[in-house]
Amino acid sequence: ACTDVGFFYVVGHGVPDTDFKTLYTDMQRFFALDSATKMQVCTTTNPNNRGWTPLGEETLDPARQTCGDTKEGFYIGRDIASTHELADLPLHGPNVWPEDASLPFWRENMEKYHASMERVGRRLNGLLALTLGLDVTFFDAKFNEPMLLLRLLHYTAAKSEVERGVFACGEH
C-alpha cells in the first residue's frame, strides 16, 4: 500500500460495525436538520473551522470550478480547550456541537468515533514504522499533539459536470 496510490483500506482495526452504523445514522440525523438549526454551529461562527459547512460553501478547485462543491459537511477536531497553549493556532481549539435537544447523544457518539479513529491512526503509525525498519514507537513523540479532523460529508444527488466546472468536491 502507498507505493503507487496514497489510499488503502484498513481491516482488522477493532472498531465494531455498530460504531460505523451509529456514525452513519447520526450523520443522516444531522444533515436532515433544517438550515437554520445547522447555521447555529456553522464554521463561520468560530475561528477553528469546526462545525457545519453549508452546501456550496467550499470551492476546493477555484481554477476549474464555476460554483461551490455540491456537498455540505460537519468538521470535528481534537477538542482543545480555549485556554490550551495550542488554542491560538489555526484549526485548533474547541469543537462546536448541535444542541442535545435536537440530536440526543450525537456529541457523545461523535467523540467516541473520533477517539476510535485516533487509536487506529496511532496503531497505523506503529505499523508504518515497522514497515520502514524503525522501532514501533518511532512516530509516537512526533504525534504528541496531533491535528485530528473528522469530516462528516453529505453529497447531493447532483452529478459532477467537469465541462461546466461543477464538482461534488473539487480537486485538492
Side-chain angles (χ1 to χ4, degrees):
C2 295
T3 56
D4 296 316
V5 182
F7 295 92
F8 57 88
Y9 286 98
V10 178
V11 296
H13 42 68
V15 180
D17 285 344
T18 54
D19 288 6
F20 293 109
K21 289 176 185 170
T22 298
L23 174 77
Y24 284 104
T25 298
D26 280 354
M27 285 172 54
Q28 291 170 342
R29 288 172 51 211
F30 176 79
F31 291 120
L33 294 172
D34 62 83
S35 293
T37 301
K38 291 186 280 191
M39 188 59 75
Q40 295 171 9
V41 290
C42 188
T43 55
T44 59
T45 64
N46 70 83
N48 305 314
N49 198 40
R50 306 289 172 83
W52 178 59
T53 54
L55 178 67
E57 179 75 19
E58 294 182 327
T59 304
L60 297 179
D61 189 2
R64 296 177 54 206
Q65 286 182 254
T66 57
C67 61
D69 294 346
T70 59
K71 68 171 176 13
E72 60 181 325
F74 193 94
Y75 303 147
I76 301 166
R78 191 165 59 94
D79 205 17
I80 297 175
S82 58
T83 55
H84 191 282
E85 64 182 292
L86 297 177
D88 291 332
L89 293 176
L91 305 177
H92 289 72
N95 287 311
V96 295
W97 301 102
E99 292 182 20
D100 284 342
S102 59
L103 292 170
F105 304 108
W106 199 83
R107 176 180 179 167
E108 293 86 352
N109 293 339
M110 293 300 124
E111 287 177 332
K112 178 183 177 186
Y113 185 80
H114 192 273
S116 292
M117 291 302 102
E118 179 178 2
R119 284 190 298 278
V120 170
R122 289 183 183 280
R123 186 167 173 222
L124 283 173
N125 279 347
L127 294 172
L128 290 170
L130 290 173
T131 301
L132 295 170
L134 303 168
D135 184 87
V136 69
T137 62
F138 177 81
F139 291 113
D140 290 357
K142 295 158 182 60
F143 288 90
N144 284 337
E145 300 281 357
M147 183 181 296
L148 307 169
L149 295 173
L150 173 60
R151 298 182 64 187
L152 310 176
L153 299 174
H154 174 243
Y155 291 88
T156 67
K159 299 232 185 282
S160 292
E161 297 179 51
V162 176
E163 65 282 348
R164 289 188 47 232
V166 177
F167 295 88
C169 182
E171 186 176 334
H172 61 287

